[in-house]
Amino acid sequence: MPTPTPLAQAARALAPYRQYLCEACGYVYDEAQGDPDGGLPPGTRYEDIPDDWACPLCGVTKADFRLYEAPDLSALRERADAVSVAARGGEPGVVIVGAGRAGWQTAEALRALSPTLPITLVSQCAGDVYDKPLLSVAMARGLDKHALVRERGADAAQRLGVRLLAHTQAIRICADTRTLRTTRGNLRYAHLVLAHGANARLPDGLAPELCWRVNHLVAYQRLRARLGDAPREVLIVGAGLIGSELANDLAIGGHRVTLIDTCEQPLARWQDLGVGEQLLDAWRDLSIRFVGGVQVQSLERVGDRYRLTTANGQRFAADEVVVAAGLHTPNRLALSAGLAWDNGIGVTPHNLRTSVDRIHALGDCIAIDGQPSRYIEPIARQARAIAADICGAAPAPYVPRAAVVRVKTTSMPLTLH
């Protein structure tokens, strides 16, 4: 690439900062803010980003980004008004269970193909739009616990012209009548999309009321409020991706962290790459104590604190206990509909159809050939495949591929394959 002339360099320096959208996960790179954790200081232009730079959320490269321009608000309002009129016509339309990233990206993909398709989202929470990967690094990045919300659920619903049933529990799927039973009544559907994700796994010996599982925004906000501003002693069970990021985050936030795991090193999945030793070395100046090779036996409350006992008799005391021991997929809805199950909801890879007609699934709750889909990057591609299948548009086949994992430990950021 030829070196820009001084005049061209001056013109670029004066040009307005632009934004670029990650087509894999929806992250927006703002030239004005840069990506300091990824080595890009504020003001770094897109053209100056190295080709091996990775998206902070999903780990894809610069090649997966495109220029982003905020949508015209007046056009969105007109489209929302048109959809609202159509939705009142009584057509069952598409019902999406789950208003996390998978649910909202499916709604976005459907709306891009059809401006009048009735869409209903059923959410256990408020349905606010946020980036879940940031929950484990928000303190280190100086993010306020309330500033994590990118868009209120009600605002996103209005923008897209969809019906959001917030704080609503999906109870049962009646596939023969194409009805979803919820705590707010029955919903008929022409197509049903399951995007309810997975739950944090709780190891034997840990009572759920005694420990935190930071798998969604509300739990994270409550934990931050409980920790307060004074340094606290926090015990984290599980030194995988999330546990290691949380340990790093809480330590930078001023808390004293004990991180335990059944394996001898953190990030044991990538042991052959030696990342565990690298991470421990990077943590030497942080208040993180790692204890490997231990199995949890019991957890009890002692006064205002907690005491965890391991199978070999070790005891750990802490003000708060956080569990980050992996995920498991709830199977209640799948079983009620008779969906094929193989370590998750079994789906056909190219169009994400389940074994029951007119029911699709995506995100953390699915498994392809018995392999769960637990990463951010595939979700947008899965949503586009489902939307094309439902709307009868040109096929957009989903093709599984090896995930690139971005470990957001600010002491030593890692990109793993």
Side-chain angles (χ1 to χ4, degrees), residues 66 88 121 178 354 397 417:
R66 63 172 173 83
R88 289 196 291 268
L121 270 78
R178 294 179 190 162
T354 70
H417 299 268

Side-chain angles (χ1 to χ4, degrees), residues 194 196 329-331 333-335 338-357 359-373 386:
L194 300 180
H196 54 66
T329 306
N331 62 5
L333 283 179
L335 291 177
L339 303 183
W341 184 270
D342 185 10
N343 206 23
I345 300 172
V347 297
T348 304
H350 67 282
N351 56 19
L352 286 302
R353 291 183 184 180
T354 70
S355 60
V356 173
D357 187 39
I359 301 179
H360 293 74
L362 76 161
D364 285 355
C365 66
I366 70 169
I368 297 176
D369 296 329
Q371 182 63 44
S373 179
I386 289 175

Side-chain angles (χ1 to χ4, degrees), residues 221-268:
Q221 290 175 332
R222 289 175 177 170
L223 174 61
R224 284 280 296 266
R226 182 68 171 267
L227 290 174
D229 298 325
R232 309 277 282 175
E233 293 186 10
V234 182
L235 174 65
I236 299 177
V237 179
L241 183 64
I242 302 302
S244 296
E245 290 179 349
L246 276 172
N248 186 96
D249 191 57
L250 292 172
I252 289 178
H255 303 289
R256 298 180 294 276
V257 178
T258 299
L259 177 63
I260 68 173
D261 197 274
T262 55
C263 297
E264 296 295 338
Q265 291 184 349
L267 299 178

Side-chain angles (χ1 to χ4, degrees), residues 290-302:
F290 174 74
V291 181
V294 295
Q295 182 75 42
V296 172
Q297 183 177 73
S298 64
L299 176 65
E300 57 188 329
R301 183 159 190 156
V302 181

Side-chain angles (χ1 to χ4, degrees), residues 2-11:
T3 303
T5 65
L7 184 60
Q9 291 178 332

Side-chain angles (χ1 to χ4, degrees), residues 111-368:
R111 186 57 73 229
L113 294 177
S114 173
T116 59
L117 176 68
I119 303 172
T120 300
L121 270 78
V122 178
S123 174
Q124 296 184 51
C125 59
D128 293 337
V129 181
Y130 67 98
D131 295 315
K132 182 179 286 189
L134 293 182
L135 297 184
S136 57
V137 295
M139 286 188 186
R141 295 191 178 188
L143 300 177
D144 181 84
K145 62 183 179 181
H146 298 295
L148 289 168
V149 175
R150 290 198 286 115
E151 187 177 20
R152 292 176 58 251
D155 293 337
Q158 183 178 18
R159 172 173 60 84
L160 292 172
V162 306
R163 180 188 182 197
L164 173 64
L165 296 183
H167 306 293
T168 302
Q169 179 76 41
I171 300 173
R172 180 181 177 82
I173 301 169
C174 301
D176 54 343
T177 60
R178 294 179 190 162
T179 303
L180 176 70
R181 292 180 56 192
T182 78
T183 51
R184 293 178 63 179
N186 295 339
L187 297 174
R188 293 172 54 240
Y189 64 82
H191 295 273
L192 179 66
V193 180
L194 300 180
H196 54 66
N199 297 331
R201 188 176 68 84
L202 193 66
D204 294 338
L206 297 181
E209 66 273 13
L210 299 182
C211 51
W212 297 91
R213 286 163 289 172
V214 186
N215 194 39
H216 54 77
L217 180 62
V218 174
Y220 176 79
Q221 290 175 332
R222 289 175 177 170
L223 174 61
R224 284 280 296 266
R226 182 68 171 267
L227 290 174
D229 298 325
R232 309 277 282 175
E233 293 186 10
V234 182
L235 174 65
I236 299 177
V237 179
L241 183 64
I242 302 302
S244 296
E245 290 179 349
L246 276 172
N248 186 96
D249 191 57
L250 292 172
I252 289 178
H255 303 289
R256 298 180 294 276
V257 178
T258 299
L259 177 63
I260 68 173
D261 197 274
T262 55
C263 297
E264 296 295 338
Q265 291 184 349
L267 299 178
R269 177 180 172 184
W270 295 277
Q271 182 176 359
D272 57 333
L273 300 178
V275 296
E277 293 180 359
Q278 297 175 48
L279 193 57
L280 290 174
D281 185 64
W283 281 345
R284 290 186 184 278
D285 295 328
L286 292 180
S287 55
I288 299 175
R289 173 194 178 197
F290 174 74
V291 181
V294 295
Q295 182 75 42
V296 172
Q297 183 177 73
S298 64
L299 176 65
E300 57 188 329
R301 183 159 190 156
V302 181
D304 294 331
R305 287 164 60 81
Y306 299 91
R307 182 170 63 203
L308 184 143
T309 303
T310 67
N312 62 0
Q314 289 182 271
R315 289 184 174 182
F316 301 91
D319 297 309
E320 303 294 340
V321 177
V322 179
V323 177
L327 301 173
H328 75 92
T329 306
N331 62 5
R332 177 173 49 83
L333 283 179
L335 291 177
S336 72
L339 303 183
W341 184 270
D342 185 10
N343 206 23
I345 300 172
V347 297
T348 304
H350 67 282
N351 56 19
L352 286 302
R353 291 183 184 180
T354 70
S355 60
V356 173
D357 187 39
R358 293 177 178 265
I359 301 179
H360 293 74
L362 76 161
D364 285 355
C365 66
I366 70 169
I368 297 176

